[in-house]
């Protein structure tokens, strides 16, 4: 391997991955909760949570480049670009509330509950959640013996903190 250049190592890795892919017994598919990232700005817009200048939050004000050279698949020359993506894949989605906050911190109590003052201050800037809020409280864990919530569309059951599931 010490004698191989970068191109040879890349070719070797590609052939090895093709071999492993041939052994797969399932068809890969995209999780419905995922979002596409094509350009650097897609990540910034997705995770930006503030109201900053009224249009963009603090992250966007500081880090947006609006430079399509960072895109994996740049738009074709002469393409008409418009907000919000400007050539990227951003479609107005936001990071889920439960993923955006540390719900074990007392300062975050109620941030993902639309009936609380804390939600009005911060949680409204997040996207919708796809899982059970109890799964993120005080060390509770999702019960992974159930089918994947992304496949079933139903929320995952949780194992309360410091306990074992029934029958184990």
């Amino acid at each position: 391997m010490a004698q191989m250049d970068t191109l040879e190592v890349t070719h070797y890795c590609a052939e090895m991955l093709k071999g492993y892919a041939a052994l797969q017994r399932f068809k890969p598919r995209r999780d419905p909760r995922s979002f596409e990232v094509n350009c650097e700005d897609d990540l910034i817009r997705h995770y930006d949570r503030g109201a900053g200048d009224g249009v963009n939050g603090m992250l966007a004000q500081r880090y947006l480049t609006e430079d399509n050279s960072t895109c994996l698949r740049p738009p074709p020359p002469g393409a008409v670009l418009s907000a919000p993506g400007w050539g990227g894949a951003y479609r107005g989605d936001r990071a889920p509330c439960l993923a955006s906050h540390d719900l074990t911190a007392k300062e975050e109590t109620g941030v993902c509950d639309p009936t609380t003052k804390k939600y009005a201050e911060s949680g409204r800037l997040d996207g919708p959640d796809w899982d059970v809020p109890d799964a993120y409280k005080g060390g509770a864990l999702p019960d992974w013996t159930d089918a994947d919530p992304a496949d079933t569309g139903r929320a995952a059951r949780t194992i309360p903190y410091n306990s074992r599931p029934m029958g184990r």
Side-chain angles (χ1 to χ4, degrees):
M1 281 270 220
Q3 303 294 331
M4 297 173 72
D5 67 3
T6 306
L7 184 61
E8 290 170 326
V9 171
T10 305
H11 178 73
Y12 170 78
C13 289
E15 291 300 318
M16 186 177 64
L17 290 172
K18 284 181 192 174
Y20 279 122
L23 299 174
Q24 285 183 341
R25 301 285 185 253
F26 63 92
K27 177 137 176 80
R29 62 190 172 95
R30 183 176 173 174
D31 190 307
R33 301 171 292 187
S34 65
F35 68 98
E36 182 180 354
V37 176
N38 184 31
C39 305
E40 175 185 334
D41 287 352
D42 293 339
L43 282 172
I44 297 189
R45 287 186 172 110
H46 180 75
Y47 287 104
D48 191 20
R49 298 189 54 258
D53 64 5
V55 178
N56 297 309
M58 188 183 308
L59 287 177
Q61 289 177 38
R62 293 181 180 176
Y63 302 111
L64 273 187
T65 62
E66 294 184 1
D67 176 8
N68 289 319
S69 67
T70 66
C71 297
L72 298 172
R73 293 175 308 282
V80 178
L81 304 178
S82 62
W86 298 109
Y90 181 73
R91 299 285 179 262
D93 55 349
R94 297 278 188 199
C97 192
L98 294 174
S100 300
H101 301 278
D102 177 8
L103 299 184
T104 60
K106 65 179 179 181
E107 298 82 13
E108 299 278 351
T109 302
V111 73
C112 294
D113 180 358
T115 63
T116 65
K117 180 181 176 198
K118 191 68 174 175
Y119 176 86
E121 294 170 356
S122 180
R124 64 182 173 73
L125 301 171
D126 301 312
D129 289 309
W130 59 74
D131 218 335
V132 180
D134 292 340
Y136 300 90
K137 290 182 183 172
L141 298 171
D143 184 352
W144 294 116
T145 60
D146 291 340
D148 189 337
D151 293 335
T152 63
R154 293 189 315 260
R157 290 183 302 161
T158 60
I159 303 168
Y161 178 70
N162 211 12
S163 69
R164 282 190 244 149
M166 299 287 287
R168 297 201 189 158

